[in-house]
């Protein structure tokens, strides 16, 4: 079990590393370093990182733990003659969250250099343009180059270069809050790492396997590949879920910050197994762990792929609330992360073959 300071530093590192969908290398390497003492692991060509606890016996029911390593970002579509970069979104973005933001663009050498998402200043806009606002197609990334030749030879930016928000995570000790990028799903990755550190010692009645999966933000692609390789009796998916407490009234809040992790009954990719969900809710109540229940009209997680594997795997989502996901900055409360880890640990410790058979 890590100290609070160790967990804080891990969360900050995970937020800061670069890893849009398809380019998760830095995140995967960080995960390897953090879990090498408690699990064995290997990778596939998608950069899914598969793991199994060193204490697994091979004779007990298997619990699959998952969190996705990728973040939303952008990719360079082509280089323009005026020295700017045309780009496409990777994952879901609202145009209002993109314009005038700082980004990092990867060069041919693998380094990341700073840039900004640029749009036409109001001085050059018509009245119609001012009232409407720019679309993603009208935006470009500017790294300070003056020409296509400079982009290629001085800045060394290739077509298909990954682009990430240029944000450094900060921790507010007085309020126990993080402000950073990529908490969808790096806060879930952090929760999975700490859950492994607390449960992969062989004390439970289950074997622990799982994935740090790739490319969730572009259609659950890593998870869809992983179900061809892994099988389990139940699954727990960690997520950084959109907090709704700054958008809805009290009666409608289902994922508020400082209220514990969200347990999702329904979204567009999964109807959660009600028996497993009830078990998790009962565990939370028994150990006085705050949780929130949600029924979502949109969104989805890797659970959408995992719960359909083989003959069906009972799957729950433990979501840490994140304010302003799919933008450059998000808030996360440390106490919600702690509650998510505590809940996952208690669930794993309480699972048995007989209980799982009842799901």
């Amino acid at each position: 079990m890590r100290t609070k300071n160790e967990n804080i530093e891990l969360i900050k590192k995970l937020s800061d590393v670069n890893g849009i969908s398809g380019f998760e290398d830095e995140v995967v390497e960080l995960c390897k370093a953090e879990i090498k003492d408690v699990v064995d692991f290997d990778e596939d060509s998608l950069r899914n990182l598969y793991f199994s606890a060193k204490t697994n016996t091979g004779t007990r029911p298997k619990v699959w733990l998952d969190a996705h390593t990728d973040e939303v970002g952008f990719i360079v579509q082509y280089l323009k003659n005026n020295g700017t970069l045309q780009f496409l979104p990777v994952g879901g973005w609202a145009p209002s969250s993109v314009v005038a933001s700082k980004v990092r663009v990867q060069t041919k050498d693998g380094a990341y250099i700073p840039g900004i998402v640029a749009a036409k200043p109001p001085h050059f806009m018509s009245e119609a343009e001012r009232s409407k606002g720019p679309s993603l197609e009208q935006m470009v990334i500017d790294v300070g180059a003056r020409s296509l030749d400079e982009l290629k030879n001085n800045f060394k930016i290739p077509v298909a270069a990954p682009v990430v928000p240029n944000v450094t995570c900060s921790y507010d000790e007085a309020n126990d809050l993080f402000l950073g990028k990529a908490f969808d799903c790096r806060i879930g990755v952090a929760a999975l790492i700490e859950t492994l550190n607390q449960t992969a010692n062989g004390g439970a009645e289950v074997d622990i396997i799982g994935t740090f999966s790739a490319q969730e933000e572009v259609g659950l692609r890593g998870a869809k590949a992983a179900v061809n390789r892994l099988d389990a009796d139940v699954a727990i998916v960690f997520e950084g879920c959109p907090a709704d407490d700054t958008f809805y009234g009290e009666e409608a809040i289902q994922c508020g910050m400082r209220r514990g992790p969200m347990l999702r009954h329904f979204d567009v990719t999964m109807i959660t197994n009600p028996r497993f969900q009830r078990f998790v809710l009962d565990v939370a109540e028994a150990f006085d762990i705050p949780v929130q229940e949600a029924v979502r009209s949109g969104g989805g997680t890797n659970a959408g792929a995992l719960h359909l594997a083989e003959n069906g795997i009972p799957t729950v989502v433990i979501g840490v609330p994140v304010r302003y996901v799919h933008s450059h900055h998000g808030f996360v409360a440390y106490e919600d992360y702690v509650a998510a880890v505590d809940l996952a640990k208690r669930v794993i410790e309480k699972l048995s073959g007989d209980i799982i058979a009842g799901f």
Side-chain angles (χ1 to χ4, degrees):
M1 185 174 183
R2 299 167 189 266
T3 66
K4 181 176 181 179
N5 284 339
E6 288 172 332
N7 280 322
I8 288 170
E9 288 308 307
L10 174 62
I11 292 167
K12 289 169 65 178
K13 287 179 184 177
L14 285 166
S15 174
D16 287 346
V17 291
N18 307 299
I20 71 165
S21 306
F23 298 86
E24 299 93 344
D25 305 65
E26 290 183 24
V27 196
V28 171
E29 292 306 311
L30 180 53
C31 291
K32 286 179 182 178
E34 296 293 331
I35 64 174
K36 60 183 173 60
D37 293 334
V38 294
V39 300
D40 298 315
F41 54 76
D42 64 348
E43 301 174 50
D44 64 18
S45 63
L46 287 175
R47 299 313 303 269
N48 281 328
L49 182 63
Y50 299 89
F51 60 80
S52 60
K54 293 179 183 291
T55 55
N56 285 353
T57 67
T59 62
R60 300 179 297 191
K62 290 178 288 186
V63 179
W64 183 342
L65 307 180
D66 173 81
H68 71 86
T69 56
D70 59 317
E71 63 184 296
V72 295
F74 312 98
I75 191 166
V76 173
Q77 187 180 25
Y78 60 89
L79 314 182
K80 302 187 72 171
N81 287 330
N82 65 3
T84 61
L85 307 169
Q86 197 70 38
F87 67 91
L88 294 176
V90 177
W93 285 92
S96 58
S97 298
V98 176
V99 66
S101 298
K102 293 173 67 178
V103 294
R104 296 194 288 262
V105 184
Q106 191 181 51
T107 69
K108 287 182 178 179
D109 299 329
Y112 278 83
I113 63 172
I116 57 171
V117 179
K120 187 187 295 185
H123 311 69
F124 309 138
M125 288 182 178
S126 66
E127 285 299 324
E129 287 175 323
R130 286 196 192 100
S131 61
K132 186 178 181 181
S135 65
L136 286 175
E137 293 77 12
Q138 294 172 306
M139 300 177 197
V140 294
I141 292 171
D142 191 339
V143 295
R146 297 173 298 168
S147 67
L148 179 61
D149 182 69
E150 278 195 359
L151 277 179
K152 290 181 176 180
N153 298 312
N154 295 18
F155 291 85
K156 298 181 180 180
I157 296 174
V159 169
V163 181
V164 297
N166 191 357
V167 176
T168 300
C169 182
S170 62
Y171 171 67
D172 176 358
E173 185 175 3
N175 295 295
D176 225 12
L177 278 175
F178 296 94
L179 176 59
K181 71 169 182 66
F183 286 130
D184 176 9
C185 171
R186 303 287 167 69
I187 193 64
V189 170
L192 174 47
I193 289 172
E194 182 58 14
T195 298
L196 285 174
N197 283 326
Q198 294 190 29
T199 61
N201 56 9
E205 295 183 40
V206 293
D207 283 353
I208 296 173
I209 64 171
T211 42
F212 291 93
S213 51
Q215 299 190 36
E216 188 268 356
E217 297 292 358
V218 289
L220 320 184
R221 295 175 188 175
K224 289 176 180 177
V227 299
N228 295 314
R229 176 166 172 172
L230 296 186
D231 185 24
D233 297 282
V234 292
I236 298 171
V237 172
F238 295 89
E239 255 293 0
C241 291
D244 55 15
D245 51 332
T246 57
F247 301 104
Y248 299 137
E250 181 64 31
E251 75 283 358
I253 294 172
Q254 297 187 333
C255 191
M257 198 167 68
R258 300 191 189 280
R259 301 177 186 223
M262 181 189 77
L263 294 172
R264 185 179 303 201
H265 291 276
F266 178 98
D267 63 29
V268 297
T269 65
M270 183 181 76
I271 300 171
T272 305
N273 180 295
R275 294 163 294 281
F276 190 14
Q277 183 87 323
R278 183 71 261 162
F279 173 79
V280 175
L281 289 167
D282 289 344
V283 169
E285 183 177 6
F287 288 94
D288 198 26
I289 301 170
V291 294
Q292 307 172 76
E293 299 178 61
V295 175
R296 289 308 202 202
S297 59
T301 71
N302 276 341
L306 268 60
H307 86 288
L308 297 176
E310 297 295 328
N311 297 314
I313 300 176
T315 303
V316 294
V317 178
I318 297 179
V320 181
V322 181
R323 284 186 175 173
Y324 318 116
V325 298
H326 288 220
S327 69
H328 277 60
H329 301 87
F331 280 115
V332 168
Y334 182 76
E335 65 195 76
D336 291 332
Y337 157 82
V338 171
V341 172
D342 193 19
L343 178 59
K345 173 188 175 183
R346 298 297 186 180
V347 168
I348 291 167
E349 291 174 343
K350 289 294 182 181
L351 285 171
S352 67
D354 289 342
I355 289 174
I356 292 171
F359 297 156

